[in-house]
Amino acid sequence: MSRFSEKGYYVQENAPIYLTSDMDRTAKWFEDTLGWYSNIVERNTNGAGRYGVVFDMLPEVEHTHLAHFTGMHMFFGQPEPRLISFMQVKGIEQMYDYITSNGWDKITKVKMQPWGGKTCSLTTIDGYIINIFE
């Protein structure tokens, strides 16, 4: 038996935890800047977001779980400006162009890496860093 089959489980999805003090503002930034979708699932009695998600998949596909979750889970809290994700994409140049055409300039230019990939680094509205590679 292999260790994989002996342990009896496998990881289906894995997503970053994104803390934000203003979930609506953060969700709008992901929508307007990256072209993603959002769903604020839980709100407090004053209407402020407590838990939500942002994701790049069509909501109809995301809600049916036909594809693996590729977004971020948002929780209410103080943002921790730091590296939060190493995200693989297809079409990194197109992503860079999309983001910059929406007026966001906190992204480095795409560059080739010695290991053969292309990378850039995006800083979000809350100061998190998403390293992107293809």
Side-chain angles (χ1 to χ4, degrees):
M1 286 245 156
S2 76
R3 183 175 23 191
F4 180 80
S5 60
E6 288 173 357
K7 68 183 183 181
Y9 77 91
Y10 64 95
V11 176
Q12 232 178 327
E13 296 178 346
N14 192 21
I17 301 295
Y18 190 110
L19 299 177
T20 176
S21 58
D22 187 337
M23 201 166 291
D24 289 296
R25 176 178 163 263
T26 298
K28 182 170 178 20
W29 180 85
F30 272 94
E31 291 171 357
D32 294 348
T33 306
L34 275 67
W36 286 23
Y37 304 92
S38 68
N39 183 14
I40 300 176
V41 179
E42 189 66 34
R43 294 180 180 274
N44 67 16
T45 56
N46 296 324
R50 305 303 288 173
Y51 169 74
V53 291
V54 290
F55 48 92
D56 76 318
M57 186 63 58
L58 289 169
E60 296 83 2
V61 174
E62 164 53 32
H63 293 148
T64 61
H65 301 285
L66 293 174
H68 293 287
F69 181 74
T70 56
M72 298 189 190
H73 294 275
M74 295 187 299
F75 289 90
F76 176 80
Q78 187 61 38
E80 302 170 353
R82 60 176 171 80
L83 179 62
I84 192 171
S85 179
F86 188 52
M87 181 180 0
Q88 183 176 13
V89 301
K90 297 284 185 197
I92 193 169
E93 286 96 353
Q94 292 85 346
M95 183 180 191
Y96 174 87
D97 291 343
Y98 187 90
I99 291 168
T100 57
S101 73
N102 286 319
W104 194 254
D105 64 356
K106 295 180 181 176
I107 184 170
T108 64
K109 294 204 180 286
V110 175
K111 63 181 181 180
M112 286 297 299
Q113 297 298 324
W115 45 270
K118 298 176 187 175
T119 63
C120 65
S121 183
L122 171 67
T123 301
T124 73
I125 194 167
D126 296 298
Y128 287 103
I129 299 167
I130 302 171
N131 283 345
I132 302 160
F133 75 99
E134 179 175 39

mmCIF file with all atom_site columns, all heavy atoms in Angstrom, residues 97-108:
data_model
loop_
_atom_site.group_PDB
_atom_site.id
_atom_site.type_symbol
_atom_site.label_atom_id
_atom_site.label_alt_id
_atom_site.label_comp_id
_atom_site.label_asym_id
_atom_site.label_entity_id
_atom_site.label_seq_id
_atom_site.pdbx_PDB_ins_code
_atom_site.Cartn_x
_atom_site.Cartn_y
_atom_site.Cartn_z
_atom_site.occupancy
_atom_site.B_iso_or_equiv
_atom_site.pdbx_formal_charge
_atom_site.auth_seq_id
_atom_site.auth_comp_id
_atom_site.auth_asym_id
_atom_site.auth_atom_id
_atom_site.pdbx_PDB_model_num
ATOM 1  N N   . ASP A 1 97  ? -2.770  42.963 -18.289 1.00 0.00 ? 97  ASP A N   1
ATOM 2  C CA  . ASP A 1 97  ? -3.417  43.999 -19.095 1.00 0.00 ? 97  ASP A CA  1
ATOM 3  C C   . ASP A 1 97  ? -4.810  44.341 -18.569 1.00 0.00 ? 97  ASP A C   1
ATOM 4  O O   . ASP A 1 97  ? -5.205  45.503 -18.537 1.00 0.00 ? 97  ASP A O   1
ATOM 5  C CB  . ASP A 1 97  ? -3.517  43.571 -20.565 1.00 0.00 ? 97  ASP A CB  1
ATOM 6  C CG  . ASP A 1 97  ? -2.154  43.510 -21.257 1.00 0.00 ? 97  ASP A CG  1
ATOM 7  O OD1 . ASP A 1 97  ? -1.176  44.089 -20.732 1.00 0.00 ? 97  ASP A OD1 1
ATOM 8  O OD2 . ASP A 1 97  ? -2.083  42.872 -22.323 1.00 0.00 ? 97  ASP A OD2 1
ATOM 9  N N   . TYR A 1 98  ? -5.559  43.326 -18.163 1.00 0.00 ? 98  TYR A N   1
ATOM 10 C CA  . TYR A 1 98  ? -6.906  43.537 -17.639 1.00 0.00 ? 98  TYR A CA  1
ATOM 11 C C   . TYR A 1 98  ? -6.864  44.392 -16.378 1.00 0.00 ? 98  TYR A C   1
ATOM 12 O O   . TYR A 1 98  ? -7.610  45.361 -16.238 1.00 0.00 ? 98  TYR A O   1
ATOM 13 C CB  . TYR A 1 98  ? -7.583  42.191 -17.352 1.00 0.00 ? 98  TYR A CB  1
ATOM 14 C CG  . TYR A 1 98  ? -9.032  42.325 -16.958 1.00 0.00 ? 98  TYR A CG  1
ATOM 15 C CD1 . TYR A 1 98  ? -10.026 42.306 -17.922 1.00 0.00 ? 98  TYR A CD1 1
ATOM 16 C CD2 . TYR A 1 98  ? -9.412  42.472 -15.626 1.00 0.00 ? 98  TYR A CD2 1
ATOM 17 C CE1 . TYR A 1 98  ? -11.365 42.442 -17.573 1.00 0.00 ? 98  TYR A CE1 1
ATOM 18 C CE2 . TYR A 1 98  ? -10.742 42.613 -15.260 1.00 0.00 ? 98  TYR A CE2 1
ATOM 19 C CZ  . TYR A 1 98  ? -11.708 42.593 -16.244 1.00 0.00 ? 98  TYR A CZ  1
ATOM 20 O OH  . TYR A 1 98  ? -13.023 42.738 -15.898 1.00 0.00 ? 98  TYR A OH  1
ATOM 21 N N   . ILE A 1 99  ? -5.971  44.035 -15.474 1.00 0.00 ? 99  ILE A N   1
ATOM 22 C CA  . ILE A 1 99  ? -5.857  44.750 -14.198 1.00 0.00 ? 99  ILE A CA  1
ATOM 23 C C   . ILE A 1 99  ? -5.428  46.198 -14.426 1.00 0.00 ? 99  ILE A C   1
ATOM 24 O O   . ILE A 1 99  ? -6.025  47.128 -13.884 1.00 0.00 ? 99  ILE A O   1
ATOM 25 C CB  . ILE A 1 99  ? -4.891  44.011 -13.251 1.00 0.00 ? 99  ILE A CB  1
ATOM 26 C CG1 . ILE A 1 99  ? -5.534  42.684 -12.806 1.00 0.00 ? 99  ILE A CG1 1
ATOM 27 C CG2 . ILE A 1 99  ? -4.513  44.873 -12.049 1.00 0.00 ? 99  ILE A CG2 1
ATOM 28 C CD1 . ILE A 1 99  ? -4.579  41.736 -12.107 1.00 0.00 ? 99  ILE A CD1 1
ATOM 29 N N   . THR A 1 100 ? -4.400  46.399 -15.236 1.00 0.00 ? 100 THR A N   1
ATOM 30 C CA  . THR A 1 100 ? -3.906  47.766 -15.454 1.00 0.00 ? 100 THR A CA  1
ATOM 31 C C   . THR A 1 100 ? -4.905  48.602 -16.254 1.00 0.00 ? 100 THR A C   1
ATOM 32 O O   . THR A 1 100 ? -5.012  49.807 -16.042 1.00 0.00 ? 100 THR A O   1
ATOM 33 C CB  . THR A 1 100 ? -2.521  47.772 -16.125 1.00 0.00 ? 100 THR A CB  1
ATOM 34 O OG1 . THR A 1 100 ? -2.586  47.052 -17.360 1.00 0.00 ? 100 THR A OG1 1
ATOM 35 C CG2 . THR A 1 100 ? -1.475  47.155 -15.201 1.00 0.00 ? 100 THR A CG2 1
ATOM 36 N N   . SER A 1 101 ? -5.655  47.969 -17.159 1.00 0.00 ? 101 SER A N   1
ATOM 37 C CA  . SER A 1 101 ? -6.663  48.720 -17.918 1.00 0.00 ? 101 SER A CA  1
ATOM 38 C C   . SER A 1 101 ? -7.812  49.178 -17.024 1.00 0.00 ? 101 SER A C   1
ATOM 39 O O   . SER A 1 101 ? -8.546  50.093 -17.380 1.00 0.00 ? 101 SER A O   1
ATOM 40 C CB  . SER A 1 101 ? -7.196  47.888 -19.089 1.00 0.00 ? 101 SER A CB  1
ATOM 41 O OG  . SER A 1 101 ? -8.047  46.854 -18.627 1.00 0.00 ? 101 SER A OG  1
ATOM 42 N N   . ASN A 1 102 ? -7.957  48.539 -15.872 1.00 0.00 ? 102 ASN A N   1
ATOM 43 C CA  . ASN A 1 102 ? -8.968  48.953 -14.903 1.00 0.00 ? 102 ASN A CA  1
ATOM 44 C C   . ASN A 1 102 ? -8.420  49.972 -13.910 1.00 0.00 ? 102 ASN A C   1
ATOM 45 O O   . ASN A 1 102 ? -9.058  50.269 -12.903 1.00 0.00 ? 102 ASN A O   1
ATOM 46 C CB  . ASN A 1 102 ? -9.546  47.742 -14.174 1.00 0.00 ? 102 ASN A CB  1
ATOM 47 C CG  . ASN A 1 102 ? -10.473 46.955 -15.079 1.00 0.00 ? 102 ASN A CG  1
ATOM 48 O OD1 . ASN A 1 102 ? -11.254 47.528 -15.826 1.00 0.00 ? 102 ASN A OD1 1
ATOM 49 N ND2 . ASN A 1 102 ? -10.361 45.650 -15.025 1.00 0.00 ? 102 ASN A ND2 1
ATOM 50 N N   . GLY A 1 103 ? -7.215  50.492 -14.191 1.00 0.00 ? 103 GLY A N   1
ATOM 51 C CA  . GLY A 1 103 ? -6.667  51.586 -13.402 1.00 0.00 ? 103 GLY A CA  1
ATOM 52 C C   . GLY A 1 103 ? -5.850  51.181 -12.190 1.00 0.00 ? 103 GLY A C   1
ATOM 53 O O   . GLY A 1 103 ? -5.434  52.049 -11.424 1.00 0.00 ? 103 GLY A O   1
ATOM 54 N N   . TRP A 1 104 ? -5.606  49.897 -11.998 1.00 0.00 ? 104 TRP A N   1
ATOM 55 C CA  . TRP A 1 104 ? -4.823  49.454 -10.836 1.00 0.00 ? 104 TRP A CA  1
ATOM 56 C C   . TRP A 1 104 ? -3.358  49.358 -11.240 1.00 0.00 ? 104 TRP A C   1
ATOM 57 O O   . TRP A 1 104 ? -3.017  48.659 -12.191 1.00 0.00 ? 104 TRP A O   1
ATOM 58 C CB  . TRP A 1 104 ? -5.323  48.108 -10.325 1.00 0.00 ? 104 TRP A CB  1
ATOM 59 C CG  . TRP A 1 104 ? -4.784  47.787 -8.961  1.00 0.00 ? 104 TRP A CG  1
ATOM 60 C CD1 . TRP A 1 104 ? -3.816  46.880 -8.666  1.00 0.00 ? 104 TRP A CD1 1
ATOM 61 C CD2 . TRP A 1 104 ? -5.180  48.362 -7.724  1.00 0.00 ? 104 TRP A CD2 1
ATOM 62 N NE1 . TRP A 1 104 ? -3.587  46.856 -7.323  1.00 0.00 ? 104 TRP A NE1 1
ATOM 63 C CE2 . TRP A 1 104 ? -4.413  47.772 -6.710  1.00 0.00 ? 104 TRP A CE2 1
ATOM 64 C CE3 . TRP A 1 104 ? -6.110  49.342 -7.370  1.00 0.00 ? 104 TRP A CE3 1
ATOM 65 C CZ2 . TRP A 1 104 ? -4.548  48.108 -5.366  1.00 0.00 ? 104 TRP A CZ2 1
ATOM 66 C CZ3 . TRP A 1 104 ? -6.248  49.672 -6.031  1.00 0.00 ? 104 TRP A CZ3 1
ATOM 67 C CH2 . TRP A 1 104 ? -5.466  49.059 -5.058  1.00 0.00 ? 104 TRP A CH2 1
ATOM 68 N N   . ASP A 1 105 ? -2.496  50.064 -10.512 1.00 0.00 ? 105 ASP A N   1
ATOM 69 C CA  . ASP A 1 105 ? -1.070  50.061 -10.880 1.00 0.00 ? 105 ASP A CA  1
ATOM 70 C C   . ASP A 1 105 ? -0.176  49.369 -9.855  1.00 0.00 ? 105 ASP A C   1
ATOM 71 O O   . ASP A 1 105 ? 1.036   49.373 -9.999  1.00 0.00 ? 105 ASP A O   1
ATOM 72 C CB  . ASP A 1 105 ? -0.587  51.491 -11.118 1.00 0.00 ? 105 ASP A CB  1
ATOM 73 C CG  . ASP A 1 105 ? -0.649  52.362 -9.873  1.00 0.00 ? 105 ASP A CG  1
ATOM 74 O OD1 . ASP A 1 105 ? -1.137  51.893 -8.816  1.00 0.00 ? 105 ASP A OD1 1
ATOM 75 O OD2 . ASP A 1 105 ? -0.224  53.522 -9.954  1.00 0.00 ? 105 ASP A OD2 1
ATOM 76 N N   . LYS A 1 106 ? -0.772  48.750 -8.853  1.00 0.00 ? 106 LYS A N   1
ATOM 77 C CA  . LYS A 1 106 ? 0.024   48.046 -7.849  1.00 0.00 ? 106 LYS A CA  1
ATOM 78 C C   . LYS A 1 106 ? 0.228   46.591 -8.265  1.00 0.00 ? 106 LYS A C   1
ATOM 79 O O   . LYS A 1 106 ? -0.157  45.646 -7.569  1.00 0.00 ? 106 LYS A O   1
ATOM 80 C CB  . LYS A 1 106 ? -0.629  48.156 -6.476  1.00 0.00 ? 106 LYS A CB  1
ATOM 81 C CG  . LYS A 1 106 ? -0.659  49.584 -5.966  1.00 0.00 ? 106 LYS A CG  1
ATOM 82 C CD  . LYS A 1 106 ? -1.307  49.681 -4.617  1.00 0.00 ? 106 LYS A CD  1
ATOM 83 C CE  . LYS A 1 106 ? -1.333  51.140 -4.180  1.00 0.00 ? 106 LYS A CE  1
ATOM 84 N NZ  . LYS A 1 106 ? -2.040  51.317 -2.928  1.00 0.00 ? 106 LYS A NZ  1
ATOM 85 N N   . ILE A 1 107 ? 0.835   46.446 -9.437  1.00 0.00 ? 107 ILE A N   1
ATOM 86 C CA  . ILE A 1 107 ? 1.157   45.143 -9.997  1.00 0.00 ? 107 ILE A CA  1
ATOM 87 C C   . ILE A 1 107 ? 2.472   45.289 -10.751 1.00 0.00 ? 107 ILE A C   1
ATOM 88 O O   . ILE A 1 107 ? 2.678   46.276 -11.465 1.00 0.00 ? 107 ILE A O   1
ATOM 89 C CB  . ILE A 1 107 ? 0.023   44.605 -10.910 1.00 0.00 ? 107 ILE A CB  1
ATOM 90 C CG1 . ILE A 1 107 ? 0.340   43.199 -11.419 1.00 0.00 ? 107 ILE A CG1 1
ATOM 91 C CG2 . ILE A 1 107 ? -0.301  45.573 -12.039 1.00 0.00 ? 107 ILE A CG2 1
ATOM 92 C CD1 . ILE A 1 107 ? -0.826  42.506 -12.113 1.00 0.00 ? 107 ILE A CD1 1
ATOM 93 N N   . THR A 1 108 ? 3.359   44.339 -10.558 1.00 0.00 ? 108 THR A N   1
ATOM 94 C CA  . THR A 1 108 ? 4.642   44.399 -11.262 1.00 0.00 ? 108 THR A CA  1
ATOM 95 C C   . THR A 1 108 ? 4.474   43.889 -12.690 1.00 0.00 ? 108 THR A C   1
ATOM 96 O O   . THR A 1 108 ? 3.531   43.153 -12.993 1.00 0.00 ? 108 THR A O   1
ATOM 97 C CB  . THR A 1 108 ? 5.712   43.559 -10.545 1.00 0.00 ? 108 THR A CB  1
ATOM 98 O OG1 . THR A 1 108 ? 5.318   42.179 -10.567 1.00 0.00 ? 108 THR A OG1 1
ATOM 99 C CG2 . THR A 1 108 ? 5.925   44.028 -9.108  1.00 0.00 ? 108 THR A CG2 1
#
